[in-house]
Amino acid sequence: MRIGLDIDNVVSDFDKKIEYECALEDKRKRNRGMVNMDADWIPRFYDWSYDEVESFFEENMEEFAKVLEVREGALEYMTKLMEDGHELYLISHRVSPHYTQPVEVTEKWLYEKKIPYTKLVLTETVNKTKECKDNKVDIMFDDSVINCRMLKEGGIKCCVMGTKYTHQVNTDGLEIVYDWKELYDFIGNLAVDINR
């Protein structure tokens, strides 16, 4: 099977880094702490304006991406998937103004973390439908419910890679896995269904 994987919060532990950095940034801004615990994204927990959030990511995202940790289980199960004969397509939205060198930064991180994959695809938009179709991806895993809805509408089978914040979003019946063992088992069951 050809498996599409988003990078942030699927392969990398993006939320862990953003939680830490947002808490530091809030202390520098107004030091009010989290004021909106029902938000669906970490920066929205704070009382930052849209411009403040954008500025924060424009100034810092590329540096954050260089030091992200690998999500627990990702390396082990990505290796198993490749050994099982699957192809892994890393399909991620990393563009200006948040990145000045998205390909170089991403490839270096993947190399340093020894992440196995078939192909890296960076998208110009958050809608990854075209890239999934161009690469004949059988299923895409993305942490964004909005992205998964767009993929589903575009005819791409998609599964949400849950985070601790996923429960705060209406998933509209989308399938969800919460860790890499679940993802691996999901692929195994899907492969059995396809081969029937």
Side-chain angles (χ1 to χ4, degrees), residues 140-189:
M140 178 72 189
F141 291 86
D142 200 300
D143 67 303
S144 167
V145 171
I146 293 168
N147 291 358
C148 284
R149 284 185 195 135
M150 287 188 284
L151 287 161
K152 189 175 178 182
E153 288 169 8
I156 302 296
K157 184 167 182 58
C158 188
C159 186
V160 177
M161 175 57 110
T163 69
K164 66 182 179 181
Y165 303 109
T166 303
H167 68 279
Q168 293 166 260
V169 182
N170 180 357
T171 56
D172 289 331
L174 291 167
E175 295 181 274
I176 303 173
V177 295
Y178 282 95
D179 60 38
W180 268 91
K181 170 122 182 26
E182 283 187 34
L183 187 151
Y184 183 77
D185 292 343
F186 186 94
I187 291 297
N189 292 332

